[in-house]
Amino acid sequence: MKVTVVGAGTMGRGIAQVFAQAGNSVILTDIYPKALEDAASSIRSSLERLFRKGEIKENIDTILQRITSTQELSAGSDSDMFVEAVIEKVETKESLLTQISQIARRDAIIGTNTSSISINQLSSFVTYPERFIGIHFFNPVPVMKLVEIVKGERTPESLVRKTFEIVKALGKDPVISQDFPGFISNRVLMPMIREAILVLEEGIATKNDIDKTMKLGMNHPMGPLELADFIGLDVTLDIMEVLYHEYGDPRFKPPVTLRNLVNARKLGRKTSEGFYKY
Ligand SMILES: NC(=O)c1ccc[n+]([C@@H]2O[C@H](COP(=O)([O-])OP(=O)(O)OC[C@H]3O[C@@H](n4cnc5c(N)ncnc54)[C@H](O)[C@@H]3O)[C@@H](O)[C@H]2O)c1
């Protein structure tokens, strides 16, 4: 299969890698040459790590040769599938999906990796929206098994089944969600992170004890506060804002402590401080 991945950031580079690992020919595009350069070196080091761990057996250069990096989206015009992984802004995705619609084959699948924007809303930017679907990977893509397949009102069952098989062929384990804010993952996760922050705010327990409770008592690999730091507190806040706005339900309302940390640019691991110091 020939796949074009648009956006070579954190997610796009991982998505390009897993498609190439599974034997597909990949075009990776971005508007910034620097993003493409960084993606190439990060894909190489990720493959080297997986090779050392014995998780891939194939020659790394053979896998890398399947990926073509380019700033020209049109290089992917004959692709069987597009995966859009540009920044989480409706206007950016609108302009990109319009461009993809213009160059894509009529029978190509057009997928979006959005974590919070409605698939139905994005489908309105795609001509022939019956070829459009949500394909939500998790970070880090080469490691995380889960992919949420998100079905919009205009996504036919046949496309859901086809995408399911494509995802399985990547060695991933898909789940299917209807197009509701937060899909399955963030809908369930965000109220838990929110509640953990409120337990901290109300002085009921220390951050270490909150995280320890969920790790040792519920068998979670990371506690909710650690996980929020890992996701990025800005991203966590954005997702909560979307859920709160869409559902209007206080169980998604962002806590003040979260907002304060984001305003102080304590964004978690990426800035070396969030709920914890790194
Ligand atoms: N980071 C995560 O943990 C995560 C997890 C799941 C889903 N997502 C979703 O994946 C998408 C990408 O997120 P990310 O974290 O990789 O973002 P990112 O900021 O790391 O990367 C986005 C890339 O898109 C590029 N870009 C912007 N406009 C473009 C355009 N018009 N054409 C081509 N490239 C363009 C940017 O240069 C950048 O390299 C978002 O929709 C996000 O919600 C992110």
Side-chain angles (χ1 to χ4, degrees), residues 197 201 233-234 237 241 254-267 273-275:
I197 299 171
E201 259 181 24
L233 298 185
D234 50 346
L237 177 62
E241 302 264 34
V256 176
T257 305
L258 178 61
R259 219 178 270 288
N260 283 347
L261 287 169
V262 172
N263 286 339
R265 299 293 298 162
K266 293 183 179 178
L267 306 180
E273 188 171 355
F275 287 105

Side-chain angles (χ1 to χ4, degrees), residues 194-248:
R194 174 179 183 269
E195 209 54 44
I197 299 171
L198 293 180
V199 169
L200 183 68
E201 259 181 24
E202 291 165 24
I204 297 168
T206 63
K207 57 192 171 197
N208 285 303
D209 280 356
I210 296 166
D211 279 342
K212 192 166 153 187
T213 302
M214 300 310 284
K215 284 192 281 191
L216 302 188
M218 318 300 160
N219 220 6
H220 290 193
M222 270 189 211
L225 301 172
E226 266 181 291
L227 181 56
D229 273 356
F230 181 78
I231 295 170
L233 298 185
D234 50 346
V235 177
T236 304
L237 177 62
D238 282 348
I239 300 172
M240 269 187 214
E241 302 264 34
V242 170
L243 289 168
Y244 184 46
H245 179 259
E246 295 293 322
Y247 289 109

Side-chain angles (χ1 to χ4, degrees), residues 1 12 28-29 41-42 49 54 71 98 104 115 121-122 134 168 185 196 212 221 228 230 239 270:
M1 197 166 74
L28 178 60
T29 74
S41 61
S42 109
R49 216 166 25 247
Q71 284 176 265
T98 309
S115 18
Q121 182 183 2
L122 293 178
K168 294 270 276 194
S185 52
K212 192 166 153 187
F230 181 78
I239 300 172
K270 60 184 160 192

Side-chain angles (χ1 to χ4, degrees), residues 7 9 11 54 94 105 130 136 156 171 177 184 189 216 224 231-232 248 272 274:
M11 297 304 286
E94 172 175 3
R105 287 189 341 232
E130 63 281 0
H136 182 213
S177 173
I184 307 169
L189 176 64
L216 302 188
I231 295 170
S272 308

